[in-house]
């Protein structure tokens, strides 16, 4: 492309843009484009068409206070040994890890952290590096859970 052709093309683009802008701004807006003035009656009309109702802030606060007051009282605490053990038991998260070709060890660690299997992906990555297991992660599908320590996790995926 020569300089003359490029300049001619640019001039054509400028002229066509100017013509389009002139036509766009010279037209009067259609009835659909004219927006209704926003006031109480238009808002109420819209809300009623959607089966909704507007309330004041004071009414909202009153409704919230009534809901809190009418909430059922907490049930009596069960002091049995079994109830204590249930509360103290940490929740065990389970996940299925799919290691595919091209995944980095960091991505595997990030997935384990995202699924709450480990608390910190960087710590697990450091453990793998320290034990020279970083490059040993196998491809495949592995069932893992949050009760596994770093050693069990590493054994499962390497």
């Amino acid at each position: 492309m020569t300089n003359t052709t490029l300049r001619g093309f640019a001039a054509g683009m400028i002229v066509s843009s100017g013509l389009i802008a002139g036509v766009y701004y010279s037209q009067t807006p259609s009835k659909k484009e004219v927006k209704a003035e926003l006031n109480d009656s238009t808002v109420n009309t819209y809300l009623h068409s959607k089966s909704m109702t507007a309330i004041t802030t004071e009414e909202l606060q009153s409704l919230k206070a009534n809901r809190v007051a009418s909430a059922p009282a907490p049930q009596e605490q069960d002091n049995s040994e079994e109830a204590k053990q249930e509360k103290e038991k940490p929740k065990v998260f389970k996940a299925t890890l799919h290691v595919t070709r091209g995944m980095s060890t960091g991505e595997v660690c990030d997935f384990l952290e995202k699924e709450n299997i480990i608390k910190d992906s960087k710590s697990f990555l450091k453990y793998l590096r320290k034990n020279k297991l970083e490059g040993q992660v196998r491809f495949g599908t592995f069932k893992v859970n949050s009760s596994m320590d770093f050693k069990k996790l590493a054994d499962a995926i390497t």
Side-chain angles (χ1 to χ4, degrees), residues 121-134 149-155:
S121 64
K122 291 178 183 174
S123 300
F124 185 56
L125 187 59
K126 285 179 186 176
Y127 173 84
L128 293 174
R129 285 180 182 158
K130 179 182 169 190
N131 292 298
K132 296 181 173 59
L133 298 171
E134 184 178 13
D149 62 357
F150 281 179
K151 181 173 179 4
K152 286 182 185 176
L153 275 172
D155 289 342

Side-chain angles (χ1 to χ4, degrees), residues 2-13:
T2 64
N3 284 342
T4 308
T5 346
L6 190 58
R7 286 184 189 135
F9 180 73
M13 294 297 289

